Amino acid sequence: MKKLACVLALTSAFVSVDAAAWGGDGHRAVGAIADRLLKGSNAEKQIAALLLPGESLQSIASWPDCVKGTWCGPQTPEMVDYTAANPKHDEYHYTNVPFQLEHYHEHGVGTSEHDIVQTLKQAIAVLQGKTDPALNPHKFTKRQALILLTHMVGDIHQPLHVGAAYVSKDGKFVVPKTKVEVDEAAIFASRGGNNLLLDDEKLAQLSAGLIPPGDPKPIKEGVPKALTKPFHSYWDSTTVDYAFRRIRTRTPDQFAEAVIASNPTVKPNTGELATWPYQWADDSLVGAKVAHEGVTPGKLAPQVSKKGETYYTFTLEVPQNYPVPSSQLAKEQLIKGGYKLAEVLKAIYG
């Protein structure tokens, strides 16, 4: 099978792992599905009491990404207060478990006390009305907990927000046994795929088969030949666009309507609500294996940046048909996100 060449740039100076998972449209689609599934329920009434006039789960779904900057517009006083009280808020969105593993384990490689699983546990406990300070170390309010739950249930179903690649010096995907093994000398963290750079133009060309006949919108317009996109960003945005198009929709509302009309089968969670984030993470690890299937790194190549800093690249090979399984998986995960959000809110409020 022919492959697409990609580049993995790894630098010790790179400190952030997160991006806007599922992008705005993906998060709004998750919220829109949940809004519809909760119609007429007690949960809908309880949620409305925490929302401002005119707000919905769909409209607040991107709030935790908006607080990272001004791309959503000026920061509101509520956003400023939240970021001031939560200096590590950008780390709430993900965990970096080696994608080859089957389960998320606390204190394991890539996890932290304020990662997405722990944040979701806290948000659920707050909405349940639990007052033990140990269950809410970040002191989330109920409104903040609802906003975070809405967003993070979407995030945790983005496979690269849970399952991450680690690469050895000789260019192989490896599973570090301890955190100290990820030393950026012998084993490198891909940081959730943010350092995996894809040839966006080639991927767009290969995705032509995903576009319904008669769709007037081209895959890409004026894409520079040298344009690259981080692997993580591809999963945040490009797969969402393709997932929408797979079912002939363009907007989050259209996607939600089409999904619910199709009456998908989504396996329910079981056990205590505090365990549900672990179940979601484990399910996302299944997706992360699909996301990395057929993707192979090459040899280590040191590079020097304009600042004189040394960083490392690995060439990657991605299957030529990659947009097909990735867009299908994205569709499935977006659907799960919407249904799981409604499910957990119904379980909390009855």
Side-chain angles (χ1 to χ4, degrees):
M1 179 179 291
K2 294 182 179 179
K3 305 274 187 172
L4 292 179
C6 310
V7 174
L8 169 57
L10 295 165
T11 170
S12 59
F14 195 97
V15 295
S16 179
V17 121
D18 185 52
W22 292 134
D25 279 350
H27 277 295
R28 284 188 286 272
V30 169
I33 290 171
D35 281 329
R36 287 159 173 76
L37 293 175
L38 293 171
K39 286 291 183 183
S41 67
N42 180 58
E44 181 186 34
K45 296 178 182 179
Q46 298 299 321
I47 291 166
L50 296 174
L51 297 177
L52 301 177
E55 287 184 334
S56 64
L57 297 179
Q58 179 179 355
S59 69
I60 66 170
S62 293
W63 194 97
D65 279 338
C66 291
V67 302
K68 298 175 188 177
T70 59
W71 65 274
C72 297
Q75 301 289 286
T76 66
E78 181 182 28
M79 290 177 173
V80 173
D81 290 343
Y82 168 78
T83 55
N86 295 274
K88 293 187 176 182
H89 67 89
D90 59 330
E91 297 181 30
Y92 297 168
H93 299 245
Y94 60 88
T95 190
N96 283 318
V97 178
F99 74 84
Q100 300 94 330
L101 299 185
E102 303 294 329
H103 302 288
Y104 169 100
H105 293 290
E106 291 179 359
H107 311 301
V109 174
T111 68
S112 75
E113 61 185 7
H114 46 258
D115 66 18
I116 190 168
V117 173
Q118 304 309 316
T119 300
L120 281 165
K121 279 178 58 181
Q122 292 170 42
I124 289 170
V126 171
L127 292 175
Q128 287 180 300
K130 296 182 178 181
T131 57
D132 183 349
L135 297 176
N136 184 24
H138 299 303
K139 299 180 180 180
F140 297 141
T141 66
K142 284 194 173 183
R143 173 172 165 80
Q144 290 173 340
L146 175 63
I147 291 172
L148 290 171
L149 182 70
T150 300
H151 183 85
M152 302 306 173
V153 171
D155 273 355
I156 203 168
H157 285 88
Q158 205 273 49
L160 269 62
H161 269 243
V162 177
Y166 292 85
V167 189
S168 65
K169 188 174 182 179
D170 59 352
K172 295 179 180 179
F173 286 142
V174 295
V175 181
K177 295 180 180 180
T178 64
K179 294 181 179 181
V180 296
E181 288 183 26
V182 188
D183 58 4
E184 300 297 320
I187 296 180
F188 303 84
S190 70
R191 294 179 172 84
N194 276 295
N195 294 344
L196 294 164
L197 304 181
L198 302 175
D199 186 317
D200 199 29
E201 183 183 33
K202 288 184 179 179
L203 282 170
Q205 293 170 351
L206 291 174
S207 302
L210 298 177
I211 305 306
D215 189 329
K217 183 180 178 181
I219 287 282
K220 283 288 178 183
E221 292 180 342
V223 179
K225 292 183 178 180
L227 182 64
T228 58
K229 172 176 288 187
F231 193 36
H232 192 109
S233 296
Y234 171 80
W235 274 93
D236 279 351
S237 57
T238 307
T239 60
V240 173
D241 182 35
Y242 295 163
F244 280 18
R245 292 180 178 213
R246 286 185 77 104
I247 57 174
R248 298 174 180 271
T249 61
R250 293 287 190 83
T251 68
D253 282 312
Q254 291 173 355
F255 184 81
E257 292 287 354
V259 164
I260 292 174
S262 71
N263 193 28
T265 299
V266 179
K267 184 179 179 180
N269 286 109
T270 58
E272 295 293 325
L273 288 183
T275 71
W276 287 19
Y278 296 85
Q279 296 178 47
W280 297 332
D282 289 352
D283 179 77
S284 199
L285 281 171
V286 175
K289 291 174 181 57
V290 176
H292 290 89
E293 187 173 353
V295 178
T296 56
K299 295 182 178 181
L300 175 71
Q303 309 288 347
V304 179
S305 71
K306 293 181 179 179
K307 295 182 179 180
E309 299 170 333
T310 299
Y311 64 99
Y312 302 92
T313 63
F314 291 87
T315 57
L316 293 178
E317 292 187 340
V318 177
Q320 189 174 22
N321 71 334
Y322 192 75
V324 177
S326 61
S327 63
Q328 175 62 27
L329 178 60
K331 184 187 76 171
E332 294 170 357
Q333 293 301 106
L334 288 168
I335 292 171
K336 285 180 184 177
Y339 274 75
K340 293 304 179 183
L341 177 57
E343 181 185 7
V344 70
L345 287 168
K346 284 182 178 179
I348 291 170
Y349 294 119

